């Protein structure tokens, strides 16, 4: 701001409009910069700094502990369990959400003409529903006492899991994957569909003249055409898999017996249930670095795509 | 059509139809359960209610949903307003300036996009609580705005790059300053991108959970997601009332989505641009 002020003073006064413009340029930037700085960038820096200290939720004193919080994470089996659950969700989500979304998009792009808009709209709908509502509706569906899924399974003559769909440690994580796919496949479908529709029709016509149809056309024209979009969809899904919180927090709270504990819920528990703010920060930084690297890739890619 | 082509077509239709059905069932369960009695929910889980009863809606409304609804409206409207104003102002300057420092400003704002809320829970909570702003519906709109700004700034930035400069230059010659040009010329012609950004962010903030969980600890200031979450502890057995509350929180969004689908999808496509 200062340089433009001095240049106003040094100016002959012929072009006051431009200088007034410079001052207001800074003023116009200010709200966005201040909000992002105060509520995102500074807290992120404080999280990094705080990860080297030990402090409680309300305590004013921070004790420097060096890398102790990170060493604690490395030797904490629950931290590794949470990470491996995140990775399970990441891989499962890429397969189910990007894979499912790609198949649906491909069918809706070229296979189905009539009713395509209706299908698209319905499949996308869960994206606008809050994950809290999604979580509770699925809890009702999967409920061992009143849930319709148990009723259906019983009418088919099968026996539902004795501990409940979300209460059985062997299947609860799979159920979360299913719910996440239910909510997010429509998003990936839309993203990939936009990519498919950007491929010029002439490419297919030219290829068809050369005898490339069906799978061959898919391999040589469709796939290269949506490669960037597919990478972007995968990145968004991977980031989402590491950030997952609401769904797990509400449905299982990380249970049963930590079977669905993820980085987000474990960080929350350490911070706000046990008051280990320093340790929570160290785990938060692990998430921050992971997400920041992937997010940086995403921004780069999406500008190129 | 040959027989083979026809059976492929039927197979593709079947796959899409099955997934569509799979998507609809939970929404259907939510809505019909909200009209049932507790007994009927248990005995006929998938059937339509024998008679549509609004009793569950009344119970939900009475135990706090009405207040949560008002809070959600207030917080969402306020945060979306902040996001649109702050992002469009910043994006306009960024799109019109060729100063090297602006590149860094852009990077700083967009960097916010990569920071997950979960990773700053602790400092954010301490910041807000030490500022004495816990349980304030006005204060929570500020971090909500902050988290919407990076994406929205990118969205506006791309739009302003393509905005015809001739209009702005004409206004400048008439003696308008930069801010005047922005509010009188640029913003009124930015309707579509404003709508896309506003709808996208409104859905996001209406549904937001983590920040609300941390910052809104008193029941009477809570928004719908965290308010309903808080009620389930006390009323865990009342599934119809819970579903009624969720329907109140969800149905308006679905309606808005159906009406403004075009805008919403365009904003999403911004992720791929």
């Amino acid at each position: 701001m200062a340089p433009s002020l001095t240049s106003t003073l040094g100016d002959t006064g012929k072009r006051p409009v431009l200088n007034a413009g410079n001052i207001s340029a800074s003023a116009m930037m200010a709200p966005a910069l201040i909000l992002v700085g105060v509520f995102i960038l500074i807290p992120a820096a404080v999280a990094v700094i705080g990860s080297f200290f030990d402090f409680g939720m309300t305590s004013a004193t921070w004790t420097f502990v060096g890398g102790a919080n990170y060493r604690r994470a490395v030797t904490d089996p629950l931290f590794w369990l949470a990470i491996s659950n995140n990775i399970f969700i990441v891989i499962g989500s890429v397969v189910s959400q990007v894979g499912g979304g790609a198949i649906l998009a491909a069918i809706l792009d070229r296979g189905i003409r009539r009713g395509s808009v209706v299908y698209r709209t319905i499949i996308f709908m869960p994206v606008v529903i809050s994950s809290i509502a999604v979580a509770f509706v699925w809890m009702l569906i999967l409920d061992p006492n009143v849930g319709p899924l148990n009723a259906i399974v019983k009418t088919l003559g099968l026996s539902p899991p004795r501990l409940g769909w979300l209460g059985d440690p062997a299947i609860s994580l799979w159920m979360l994957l299913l719910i996440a796919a239910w909510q997010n496949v429509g998003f990936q479908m839309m993203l990939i569909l936009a990519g498919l529709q950007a491929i010029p029709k002439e490419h297919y016509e030219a290829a068809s003249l050369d005898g490339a149809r069906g799978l061959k056309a898919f391999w040589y024209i469709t796939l290269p055409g949506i490669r960037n979009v597919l990478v972007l969809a995968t990145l968004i899904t991977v980031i989402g898999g590491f950030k997952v919180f609401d769904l797990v927090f509400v449905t299982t709270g990380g249970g049963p017996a930590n079977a669905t504990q993820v980085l987000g819920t474990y960080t929350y528990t350490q911070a706000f249930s046990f008051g280990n703010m320093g340790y929570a920060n160290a785990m938060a930084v692990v998430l921050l670095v992971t997400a920041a690297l992937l997010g940086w890739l995403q921004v780069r890619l999406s500008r190129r795509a | 059509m040959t027989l083979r082509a026809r059976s492929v077509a039927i197979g593709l239709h079947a796959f899409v139809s099955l997934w569509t059905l799979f998507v609809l069932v939970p929404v259907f369960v939510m809505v019909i359960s909200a009209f049932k009695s507790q007994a009927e929910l248990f005995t006929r889980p998938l059937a339509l209610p024998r008679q549509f009863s609004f009793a569950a809606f009344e119970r939900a409304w009475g135990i706090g949903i009405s207040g949560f609804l008002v809070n959600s409206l207030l917080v969402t409207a306020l945060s979306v307003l902040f996001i649109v104003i702050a992002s469009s102002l910043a994006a306009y300057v960024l799109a019109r300036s060729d100063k090297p420092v602006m590149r860094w400003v852009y990077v700083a704002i967009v960097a916010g996009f990569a920071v997950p809320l979960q990773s700053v829970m602790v400092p954010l909570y301490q910041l807000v609580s030490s500022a004495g702003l816990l349980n304030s519906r006005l204060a929570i709109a500020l971090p909500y705005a902050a988290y919407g700004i990076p994406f929205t700034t990118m969205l506006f930035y791309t739009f302003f790059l393509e905005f015809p400069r001739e209009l702005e230059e004409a206004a400048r010659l008439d003696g308008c300053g930069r801010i005047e040009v922005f509010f009188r010329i640029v913003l009124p012609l930015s309707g579509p991108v404003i709508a896309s950004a506003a709808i996208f962010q409104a859905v996001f903030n209406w549904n937001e959970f983590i920040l609300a969980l941390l910052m809104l600890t008193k029941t009477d200031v809570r928004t719908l997601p965290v308010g309903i979450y808080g009620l389930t502890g006390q009323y865990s057995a009342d599934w119809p009332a819970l579903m009624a509350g969720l329907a109140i929180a969800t149905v308006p969004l679905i309606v808005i989505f159906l009406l403004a689908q075009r805008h919403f999808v365009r904003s999403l496509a911004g992720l791929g641009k």
Side-chain angles (χ1 to χ4, degrees):
Chain A
M1 250 183 270
S4 58
L5 275 173
T6 45
S7 71
T8 312
L9 293 173
D11 207 334
T12 50
K14 271 184 189 164
R15 301 178 65 192
V17 176
L18 196 67
N19 286 315
N22 283 339
I23 295 166
S24 63
S26 311
M28 286 165 86
M29 301 286 325
L33 261 181
I34 291 172
L35 282 170
V36 170
V38 169
F39 291 104
I40 306 181
L41 301 180
I42 293 175
V46 174
V48 175
I49 297 168
S51 69
F52 297 101
F53 287 82
D54 200 12
F55 56 104
M57 198 185 318
T58 47
S59 69
T61 48
W62 288 27
T63 322
F64 183 75
V65 294
N69 289 321
Y70 290 96
R71 281 197 295 278
R72 180 175 173 185
V74 173
T75 54
D76 180 355
L78 275 181
F79 169 76
W80 290 111
L81 179 62
I83 294 252
S84 70
N85 284 339
N86 271 113
I87 292 174
F88 178 89
I89 291 175
V90 163
I91 296 172
S93 300
V94 169
V95 172
S96 61
Q97 295 171 24
V98 181
I103 293 172
L104 289 167
I107 297 175
L108 289 175
D109 181 43
R110 299 179 66 81
I112 292 182
R113 297 263 141 62
R114 223 182 318 156
S116 139
V117 176
V118 176
Y119 285 131
R120 231 188 287 173
T121 307
I122 293 173
I123 294 173
F124 188 78
M125 194 172 60
V127 175
V128 303
I129 302 176
S130 84
S131 42
I132 304 311
V134 171
F136 280 124
V137 171
W138 277 96
M139 280 168 80
L140 169 61
I141 292 173
L142 302 176
D143 189 90
N145 301 314
V146 299
L149 184 62
N150 267 16
I152 294 171
V153 168
K154 278 180 192 155
T155 14
L156 293 175
L158 303 165
S159 54
R162 220 161 35 82
L163 298 168
W165 299 96
L166 290 166
D168 187 330
I171 49 177
S172 50
L173 207 52
W174 289 94
M175 287 298 124
L176 293 182
L177 217 49
L178 177 82
I179 302 172
W182 179 83
Q183 179 162 34
N184 296 324
V185 158
F187 175 89
Q188 303 300 344
M189 178 194 72
M190 281 301 196
L191 202 61
I192 297 166
L193 195 59
L196 285 172
Q197 289 173 343
I199 300 174
K201 291 264 182 301
E202 298 80 48
H203 290 196
Y204 289 105
E205 285 157 16
S208 154
L209 288 176
D210 293 337
R213 291 194 187 86
L215 268 184
K216 244 187 181 169
F218 178 80
W219 191 256
Y220 288 107
I221 298 168
T222 314
L223 221 46
I226 58 166
R227 202 188 54 206
N228 277 349
V229 170
L230 282 181
V231 175
L232 188 68
T234 306
L235 263 178
I236 291 175
T237 310
V238 172
I239 296 173
F242 279 111
K243 286 187 357 184
V244 61
F245 180 85
D246 304 8
L247 180 63
V248 181
F249 186 80
V250 173
T251 51
T252 64
N258 292 308
T260 59
Q261 197 70 265
V262 289
L263 219 41
T265 51
Y266 192 46
T267 306
Y268 180 89
T269 308
Q270 281 295 345
F272 299 103
S273 304
F274 302 151
N276 295 325
M277 301 307 225
Y279 185 37
N281 269 330
M283 290 191 289
V285 169
V286 173
L287 178 66
L288 175 67
V289 171
T290 313
L293 283 174
L294 293 164
W296 176 72
L297 268 177
Q298 185 194 338
V299 170
R300 277 189 60 131
L301 249 167
S302 49
R303 268 199 283 170
R304 213 176 52 194
Chain B
M1 237 198 272
T2 64
L3 189 68
R4 187 161 162 264
R6 181 165 298 209
S7 52
V8 168
I10 291 172
L12 296 180
H13 260 282
F15 181 76
V16 174
S17 310
L18 277 177
W19 189 275
T20 307
L21 193 69
F22 173 60
V23 166
L24 284 176
V25 167
V27 180
F28 175 74
V29 166
M30 174 176 77
V31 174
I32 59 164
S33 303
F35 288 103
K36 285 179 184 171
S37 67
Q38 303 228 44
E40 212 187 356
L41 187 92
F42 183 70
T43 50
R44 309 164 68 238
L46 276 174
L48 282 172
R50 283 216 176 79
Q51 62 179 71
F52 282 83
S53 148
F54 283 92
F57 283 93
E58 280 165 25
R59 286 201 301 281
W61 197 255
I63 56 177
I65 299 293
S66 53
F68 302 152
L69 186 69
V70 173
N71 296 340
S72 272
L73 283 171
L74 182 73
V75 169
T76 304
L78 213 55
S79 57
V80 169
L81 188 71
F82 290 162
I83 290 172
V84 169
I85 293 176
S87 307
S88 60
L89 281 169
Y92 180 66
V93 175
L94 290 169
R96 287 293 174 269
S97 171
D98 41 17
K99 283 193 196 132
V101 66
M102 288 301 177
R103 228 192 104 67
W104 291 104
V105 173
Y106 185 77
V107 169
I109 290 178
V110 172
F113 187 62
V115 176
L117 199 46
Q118 291 89 323
S119 67
V120 294
M121 288 194 283
V122 170
L124 209 51
Y125 175 82
Q126 292 186 318
L127 171 79
V128 172
S129 68
S130 64
L133 294 173
L134 285 181
N135 291 312
S136 156
R137 286 162 296 186
L138 297 176
I140 201 174
L142 295 174
Y144 274 13
Y147 278 87
I149 284 172
F151 178 70
T152 315
T153 302
M154 287 193 272
L155 198 70
F156 274 108
Y157 181 77
T158 344
F159 178 81
F160 289 145
L161 280 184
E162 284 156 22
F163 192 90
R165 287 172 190 234
E166 294 78 15
L167 287 173
E168 297 164 45
E169 276 154 21
R172 284 256 175 154
L173 288 177
D174 288 345
C176 285
R178 195 195 294 253
I179 281 216
E180 260 180 300
V181 171
F182 178 75
F183 280 109
R184 290 214 183 143
I185 313 288
V186 179
L187 220 46
L189 292 171
S190 307
V193 71
I194 293 175
S196 296
I199 289 167
F200 192 73
Q201 296 300 331
V203 169
F204 190 80
N205 288 328
W206 182 267
N207 291 335
E208 203 284 331
F209 179 68
I210 302 178
L211 265 177
L213 180 72
L214 292 177
M215 289 179 59
L216 305 176
T217 55
K218 287 191 190 143
T219 306
D220 61 323
V221 292
R222 285 183 160 175
T223 52
L224 281 163
V226 70
I228 291 174
Y229 173 77
L231 285 183
T232 51
Q234 294 161 261
Y235 302 89
S236 56
D238 195 348
W239 282 106
L242 175 59
M243 292 300 130
L246 295 177
I248 293 171
T250 305
V251 171
L253 275 196
I254 293 181
V255 171
I256 290 176
F257 163 66
L258 291 178
L259 293 177
Q261 211 188 137
R262 199 165 41 93
H263 289 299
F264 197 81
V265 172
R266 185 167 41 207
S267 189
L268 268 187
L271 281 171
K273 242 183 231 149

